[in-house]
Short mmCIF file of all heavy atoms in Angstrom, two decimals:
data_model
loop_
_atom_site.label_atom_id
_atom_site.label_comp_id
_atom_site.label_asym_id
_atom_site.label_seq_id
_atom_site.Cartn_x
_atom_site.Cartn_y
_atom_site.Cartn_z
N LEU A 283 103.76 88.70 98.53
CA LEU A 283 103.74 89.93 99.31
C LEU A 283 102.51 90.12 100.18
O LEU A 283 102.49 91.01 101.03
CB LEU A 283 103.88 91.14 98.37
CG LEU A 283 105.19 91.23 97.59
CD1 LEU A 283 105.19 92.48 96.72
CD2 LEU A 283 106.38 91.25 98.54
N SER A 284 101.47 89.32 99.99
CA SER A 284 100.29 89.44 100.84
C SER A 284 100.61 88.96 102.25
O SER A 284 101.71 88.46 102.52
CB SER A 284 99.15 88.60 100.27
OG SER A 284 99.49 87.22 100.34
N ALA A 285 99.65 89.15 103.16
CA ALA A 285 99.85 88.69 104.53
C ALA A 285 100.15 87.20 104.57
O ALA A 285 101.00 86.74 105.34
CB ALA A 285 98.61 89.01 105.37
N GLY A 286 99.49 86.43 103.70
CA GLY A 286 99.76 85.00 103.64
C GLY A 286 101.18 84.71 103.19
O GLY A 286 101.85 83.81 103.70
N GLY A 287 101.66 85.50 102.21
CA GLY A 287 103.04 85.32 101.75
C GLY A 287 104.05 85.66 102.82
O GLY A 287 105.07 84.96 102.97
N LEU A 288 103.79 86.71 103.59
CA LEU A 288 104.69 87.07 104.68
C LEU A 288 104.74 85.97 105.73
O LEU A 288 105.81 85.62 106.25
CB LEU A 288 104.25 88.40 105.31
CG LEU A 288 105.02 88.86 106.54
CD1 LEU A 288 106.51 88.98 106.25
CD2 LEU A 288 104.46 90.19 107.04
N LYS A 289 103.61 85.38 106.03
CA LYS A 289 103.57 84.30 107.03
C LYS A 289 104.32 83.05 106.53
O LYS A 289 105.01 82.39 107.30
CB LYS A 289 102.11 83.97 107.38
CG LYS A 289 101.43 85.06 108.21
CD LYS A 289 100.05 84.68 108.67
CE LYS A 289 99.03 84.81 107.58
NZ LYS A 289 97.64 84.61 108.09
N GLN A 290 104.18 82.76 105.24
CA GLN A 290 104.92 81.62 104.70
C GLN A 290 106.42 81.87 104.73
O GLN A 290 107.21 80.96 105.04
CB GLN A 290 104.46 81.35 103.27
CG GLN A 290 103.05 80.79 103.16
CD GLN A 290 102.63 80.56 101.73
OE1 GLN A 290 103.43 80.69 100.80
NE2 GLN A 290 101.36 80.22 101.53
N LEU A 291 106.81 83.09 104.44
CA LEU A 291 108.23 83.45 104.51
C LEU A 291 108.74 83.30 105.93
O LEU A 291 109.84 82.77 106.16
CB LEU A 291 108.42 84.88 104.02
CG LEU A 291 109.84 85.45 104.07
CD1 LEU A 291 110.76 84.68 103.14
CD2 LEU A 291 109.83 86.93 103.71
N ALA A 292 107.95 83.74 106.90
CA ALA A 292 108.34 83.62 108.30
C ALA A 292 108.50 82.17 108.70
O ALA A 292 109.47 81.79 109.40
CB ALA A 292 107.31 84.31 109.19
N SER A 293 107.59 81.33 108.27
CA SER A 293 107.65 79.91 108.61
C SER A 293 108.89 79.25 108.00
O SER A 293 109.59 78.45 108.65
CB SER A 293 106.38 79.21 108.12
OG SER A 293 106.43 77.82 108.38
N ARG A 294 109.19 79.61 106.75
CA ARG A 294 110.34 79.00 106.07
C ARG A 294 111.66 79.42 106.72
O ARG A 294 112.54 78.59 106.98
CB ARG A 294 110.33 79.39 104.58
CG ARG A 294 111.52 78.87 103.80
CD ARG A 294 111.34 79.06 102.32
NE ARG A 294 111.16 80.45 101.95
CZ ARG A 294 112.15 81.32 101.82
NH1 ARG A 294 113.41 80.93 102.06
NH2 ARG A 294 111.90 82.55 101.45
N LEU A 295 111.80 80.72 106.99
CA LEU A 295 113.04 81.19 107.60
C LEU A 295 113.19 80.70 109.03
O LEU A 295 114.30 80.45 109.50
CB LEU A 295 113.10 82.72 107.56
CG LEU A 295 113.23 83.34 106.16
CD1 LEU A 295 113.32 84.85 106.25
CD2 LEU A 295 114.44 82.77 105.43
N SER A 296 112.06 80.52 109.71
CA SER A 296 112.11 79.98 111.07
C SER A 296 112.63 78.54 111.04
O SER A 296 113.42 78.12 111.91
CB SER A 296 110.73 80.03 111.70
OG SER A 296 110.73 79.42 112.98
N ALA A 297 112.20 77.77 110.03
CA ALA A 297 112.65 76.38 109.91
C ALA A 297 114.14 76.30 109.60
O ALA A 297 114.82 75.35 110.01
CB ALA A 297 111.84 75.67 108.83
N GLU A 298 114.65 77.31 108.89
CA GLU A 298 116.06 77.32 108.54
C GLU A 298 116.94 77.71 109.73
O GLU A 298 118.13 77.43 109.74
CB GLU A 298 116.31 78.28 107.37
CG GLU A 298 115.66 77.82 106.07
CD GLU A 298 115.81 78.84 104.96
OE1 GLU A 298 116.42 79.90 105.23
OE2 GLU A 298 115.30 78.60 103.85
#
Side-chain angles (χ1 to χ4, degrees):
L283 296 181
S284 66
L288 175 57
K289 288 186 282 188
Q290 290 179 8
L291 178 64
S293 178
R294 177 170 60 80
L295 292 182
S296 176
E298 294 175 0

